[in-house]
Structure formats: C-alpha cells, structure tokens
Amino acid sequence: MNESRTMTGPRPNILIDGWTLTLRAVRVTLRNPFLLMMATFFPLILLVLMTVAFGSLVAPGGSRADYVNFSLPLFAVMGIAFAGLGTAMTTYDDLQSGFDRRLRAMPIARAAPLIGRIAGDAVRNLITLLAVIGVGYLLGFRFTGGALGALGFLALPLIFGTAVAWMMVAIAVHAKSGEAVASALNAILLVASFLSTGFVPRQDLPSWIQPVAAANPVSSVVEAMRAMAAAGPVASPMWRALAWTVALTLIFATIAIHGYRRR
C-alpha cells in the first residue's frame, strides 16, 4: 500500500500580509526624509506665498487670515496629492529593483503589496496634512465648526488620498520609465489643483473654466473641507467628494491590480 503525503505551506492571509507590508512602507517613508519633504514643501511654499502676496487681492476687504481659511483646504489636498508621487515612484522602483518579484515568490496574498503600500502611505499623508494645518494656524487658520467638523476636515482628504494613491499605482505599474511617471503625474496634479475652486470662488473664475472647476473632484473635496471647518452647508459637496472617491478607487484599483498581476 502506497502512502502519499501532501506538503502544504502557510496559507496567505491578506490581513497579516497587508499589515506587514504596511509597516514596511511606513519605515521606508520615515527613513527617507526626501519623500516627506517632497510632499510638504511645495504646498507649504504655495500657502505662504499666495497668502502673503495675493491674499488681499483674492479677498478684497478681508484679512490674510480670511484668505488662509478659504484656501488652506486646497493646499492640504495638494500636499496629499503630491505625496502620491512618492507612492508612484516607490511602486515603480520596487517593480524595477526586483523587490516585487521576491514577494511573488513568497506565500503571501497577491494584493497585499499594493494594499500595504497604500495603507502605509496614508501615514505619510497624515503627516503632510498636519504640517499644512500647522503652518496655516500660524497664518491665521482656525476651526470654527466644532470638533466634529475638525475630525471630518482631517478624515476627508485622507480618504480621498486613498483614491489618489490607487491612481498613482495604476500609472506606475503601466509606466515604461520613472521619468514618464513623474512627468505625467505632475501635469495631472497641477491641472487638477489650479482648475478648481481652491484658490478663488467659482463665480470669480472665467466663465469657460467654471464648468470645469465644478466637475473637478478637487473642488468637491475642498468645498466640503471648507464647509466642515467653518460649519457651513456640507451635504452637497460631501456627497460629491465621496462619490468621486468611490468612483476613482474602483476604477484605478481595478486597473492597478490587473496591471500588477500582468507584471
């Protein structure tokens, strides 16, 4: 009588595998100050320059603090969006260096590397967001919508940042070079930021830009954050922001996971 023995290894667990790779992504971020600087330096410089140089022009009759309270949500979103460049570049580097090939040879959940990278980058996004708010406070920004509004102000851009991160990963796994990743994403993020209602009210934009700004997901997130910070009407912009977040996540997560499996 012949006996057969089946050898089985550890079964993949997406929660454990994802958590392990999340911690790895956090360590990579903390060990590379350039990633944090890249995410925070640009929006902070814009925040200071726009407030000092153009605040009184955009908000005539108001103080610089008035303009900071109006514009800071955009700079917070820009910080998180540009932090996504680090997500794209580390994803591309891992694909090119062979790190992902080593992961594929291990008994881990296939989606764990992408989930861990995006979850880990949420920590970097939080640091970026707190830095922008901290500088904004020095310039006069204040929460007047209560504790619940402040929590929503913090949570919404982090949630939207997840959708942005999936877009970054989707582009990175299909890119042919690191330069192509950086060039494409810089253009997308700059256009989305400047063609929004973050710098000036929609009615003050040129008439041909107003429909573009209204449809821009950045505008929805910024307007919802502005309303939560100042206890304004939040329902309409919040639903638009969440709808954009869900749609972008579903679209780009599907593209990213499909492209990652093909790689």
Side-chain angles (χ1 to χ4, degrees), residues 191-209:
V191 170
S193 299
F194 282 92
L195 295 184
S196 72
T197 56
F199 287 115
V200 296
R202 186 185 308 172
Q203 63 271 17
D204 293 339
L205 292 170
S207 58
W208 65 272
I209 293 181

Side-chain angles (χ1 to χ4, degrees), residues 77-112:
V77 174
M78 286 180 69
I80 289 176
F82 279 91
L85 291 172
T87 304
M89 296 307 297
T90 54
T91 300
Y92 182 82
D93 290 342
D94 284 346
L95 289 169
Q96 298 303 310
S97 67
F99 178 76
D100 274 304
R101 285 195 295 273
R102 292 194 294 273
L103 289 180
R104 292 169 192 264
M106 300 171 65
I108 66 172
R110 293 301 183 191

Side-chain angles (χ1 to χ4, degrees), residues 1-140:
M1 178 178 173
N2 294 328
E3 294 183 359
S4 62
R5 182 181 301 173
T6 302
M7 302 296 293
T8 60
R11 295 183 177 180
N13 186 310
I14 193 168
L15 295 179
I16 296 176
D17 298 339
W19 175 248
T20 300
L21 292 171
T22 296
L23 295 179
R24 182 254 178 186
V26 172
R27 287 194 295 269
V28 168
T29 297
L30 296 179
R31 290 174 183 173
N32 190 348
F34 176 75
L35 292 178
L36 287 175
M37 184 181 71
M38 182 177 67
T40 57
F41 184 76
F42 181 61
L44 288 180
I45 289 297
L46 274 182
L47 171 61
V48 174
L49 291 179
M50 290 292 294
T51 300
V52 172
F54 303 110
S56 60
L57 296 177
V58 178
S63 65
R64 288 175 178 169
D66 293 332
Y67 184 67
V68 172
N69 281 277
F70 177 85
S71 63
L72 185 135
L74 174 64
F75 296 111
V77 174
M78 286 180 69
I80 289 176
F82 279 91
L85 291 172
T87 304
M89 296 307 297
T90 54
T91 300
Y92 182 82
D93 290 342
D94 284 346
L95 289 169
Q96 298 303 310
S97 67
F99 178 76
D100 274 304
R101 285 195 295 273
R102 292 194 294 273
L103 289 180
R104 292 169 192 264
M106 300 171 65
I108 66 172
R110 293 301 183 191
L114 298 184
I115 293 174
R117 184 172 291 116
I118 289 173
D121 287 346
V123 175
R124 181 196 58 211
N125 290 344
L126 178 60
I127 295 173
T128 300
L129 180 60
L130 293 177
V132 173
I133 293 174
V135 173
Y137 253 77
L138 296 177
L139 295 172

